[in-house]
Amino acid sequence: MDSEGALQLLQQAGLGITDDPDEGRHEAVSADQYFGGPSDRWTLGAVRTEQRFLRNQQLQLRGSSCSLCGHSFPEQLLVAAHIKPRSACSEKERMDTRNVSMLACLIGCDALFELGYVVVGESGVIEAGKPGPGQVGDRIEGLVGRKCRAHDERSRGYFAWHRQAHSGKLIKQSQRTPDLPQHPSPS
């Protein structure tokens, strides 16, 4: 079924498609109670089919340590963090799971990296990205100068993309990662 047929089928069932998950909701009048409609809504969406594989692969490759701070954590406190955001990756880059991602802890490293407070330099050493206020700045200082455990020859291009994207020289989404390793296609 093509997308037009699927849309017609959804409309016949009284359903619709929106890019805004909060469409039709209004701000609550009182801060004491939520008046935005039902607290649960059914939704249909794309699923990142590789996400579970990605995390398990990273745990097997790197153990249960954060690639940025180096601390060991229970697996529940580690996430598979994309070095180059998934939305900016080509399908081929998304399939390069070993090199496009790393383990980052939920104790702060995942957010600091994703938001560009820390970047990984060409030699694999963590550098300060954008300045962070107060305790954020203290946490950044604690990471600067450490070697990123996920940086190697194969992931270097993804880290370069992240560094450039957070340095103010934003890369267009259509521009792809330099030095993407060429892997033989499965036969």
Side-chain angles (χ1 to χ4, degrees), residues 1 14 16 22 26 29 36 38 48 53 56 58 66 74 92 108 120 126 131 147 153 168 171 174:
M1 176 181 296
D22 292 325
H26 304 286
V29 177
R48 296 178 176 181
F53 170 82
N56 288 336
Q58 292 298 314
C66 176
K92 184 175 182 176
V120 176
I126 299 170
K147 173 85 170 124
E153 191 63 32
I171 298 174
S174 62

Side-chain angles (χ1 to χ4, degrees), residues 2-80:
D2 66 1
S3 60
E4 184 63 32
L7 179 59
Q8 288 176 355
L9 184 61
L10 285 171
Q11 289 170 339
Q12 288 173 355
L15 302 171
I17 294 178
T18 180
D19 289 333
D20 180 5
D22 292 325
E23 184 178 292
R25 294 185 181 198
H26 304 286
E27 288 296 317
V29 177
S30 167
D32 296 330
Q33 188 173 358
Y34 175 68
F35 293 107
S39 61
D40 289 328
R41 283 179 31 175
W42 286 96
T43 183
L44 212 50
V47 176
R48 296 178 176 181
T49 56
E50 83 282 7
Q51 194 63 31
R52 181 174 291 158
F53 170 82
L54 185 65
R55 184 171 175 276
N56 288 336
Q57 179 190 51
Q58 292 298 314
L59 285 166
Q60 288 178 352
L61 289 170
R62 305 185 200 294
S64 59
S65 295
C66 176
S67 296
L68 296 168
C69 69
H71 294 123
S72 292
F73 290 102
E75 291 179 6
Q76 300 89 333
L77 294 176
L78 294 166
V79 295

Side-chain angles (χ1 to χ4, degrees), residues 6 23-24 38 51 60 79 84 103 121 158 163 170 174 182 186:
E23 184 178 292
Q51 194 63 31
Q60 288 178 352
V79 295
K84 179 177 181 181
L103 287 176
Y158 297 116
R163 193 171 52 255
L170 292 177
S174 62
Q182 299 299 314

